[in-house]
Amino acid sequence: MTRLDSVIRRLTAQRNLLNWAVNEIEPTGLILELGLGNGRTYDHLRSRLPDREIYAFERSLAAHPDSCPAEDYLIMGDIFETLPLFAERMGLGCAALIHADIGSGDEVLNRQLAKRMAPLIEPLLEPGGLFLADRAFDLPRCTNLSTRVGVAEGRYFVYRRAVKAEPVAHRPSIAR
Ligand SMILES: C[S@@+](CC[C@H](N)C(=O)[O-])C[C@H]1O[C@@H](n2cnc3c(N)ncnc32)[C@H](O)[C@@H]1O
């Protein structure tokens, strides 16, 4: 497989899963886009969910001007600082869908990033809320649906927060 093939397959999986998720999510709850980047997936989400509140998070703004959220819906800064503040402002369990596409080509760094992010993501999801990501996460309160949604193994990842909170041995803290 060439690198071009690989990119096309990854983006196809990403788009297919975003399309799947917008039909699966609960009728209430925020949509969070972690890593606005060029704004392509943000633009896709807002076109599919025109009536939902979508917040985009980014530390270094480089989005296409047509794909930039309004100021109130753009959260600038490192997500490890902005997500805990957002959770304080909006409340835990505020998100129906979180999409994270913030990895790099460095797999070691990506694994560290996912490990640090996991305790921030899970408490933000409402019961039944979906988390889509470009890499695997360890989320004890969520079910991993990645192999059940028609995407080749390892290409994109999907998790659903349990509807009823499951007790877990270690309660992740959202505090910084
Ligand atoms: C691959 S791009 C996202 C592309 C986007 N999904 C699109 O379709 O255009 C990843 C983005 O995540 C941002 N990012 C990475 N780590 C971040 C962090 N810790 N906090 C905030 N933004 C971050 C980067 O600045 C980059 O713009």
Side-chain angles (χ1 to χ4, degrees):
M1 194 193 314
T2 67
R3 288 179 57 218
L4 178 62
D5 292 330
S6 173
V7 168
I8 289 169
R9 287 180 187 202
R10 192 183 87 83
L11 293 181
T12 301
Q14 184 183 57
R15 185 188 57 189
N16 289 348
L17 284 181
L18 290 174
N19 288 344
W20 170 82
V22 298
N23 292 315
E24 283 283 318
I25 55 172
E26 302 292 329
T28 58
L30 304 174
I31 314 299
L32 310 187
E33 169 79 338
L34 308 185
L36 176 65
N38 183 277
R40 291 188 196 101
T41 47
Y42 167 77
D43 182 51
H44 197 76
L45 282 170
R46 72 177 175 182
S47 82
R48 297 297 188 276
L49 296 168
D51 301 324
R52 302 292 288 256
E53 285 191 285
I54 307 178
Y55 286 88
F57 294 71
E58 179 55 64
R59 65 180 172 193
S60 172
L61 190 59
H64 189 282
D66 290 346
S67 302
C68 213
E71 200 181 340
D72 288 352
Y73 289 89
L74 176 61
I75 314 289
M76 288 299 301
D78 190 309
I79 57 160
F80 293 102
E81 293 176 8
T82 56
L83 269 183
L85 296 174
F86 187 81
E88 271 174 33
R89 178 154 71 100
M90 298 299 184
L92 299 180
C94 63
L97 172 65
I98 302 176
H99 173 229
D101 180 18
I102 67 166
S104 65
D106 184 329
E107 277 314 308
V108 175
L109 280 183
N110 287 340
R111 276 197 292 278
Q112 290 169 355
L113 187 71
K115 202 171 174 187
R116 278 183 76 199
M117 275 175 71
L120 301 178
I121 299 296
E122 209 163 36
L124 277 168
L125 288 171
E126 66 185 16
L130 289 175
F131 177 52
L132 268 55
D134 59 338
R135 62 208 57 262
F137 278 71
D138 185 14
L139 300 169
R141 291 195 181 86
C142 294
T143 305
N144 186 348
L145 305 178
S146 309
T147 58
R148 305 186 212 164
V149 287
V151 165
E153 196 175 342
R155 200 158 285 155
Y156 227 76
F157 300 86
V158 186
Y159 303 86
R160 190 195 298 276
R161 182 159 180 184
V163 171
K164 197 171 175 205
E166 299 288 337
V168 288
H170 168 65
R171 189 179 176 83
S173 164
I174 198 152
R176 272 182 289 167

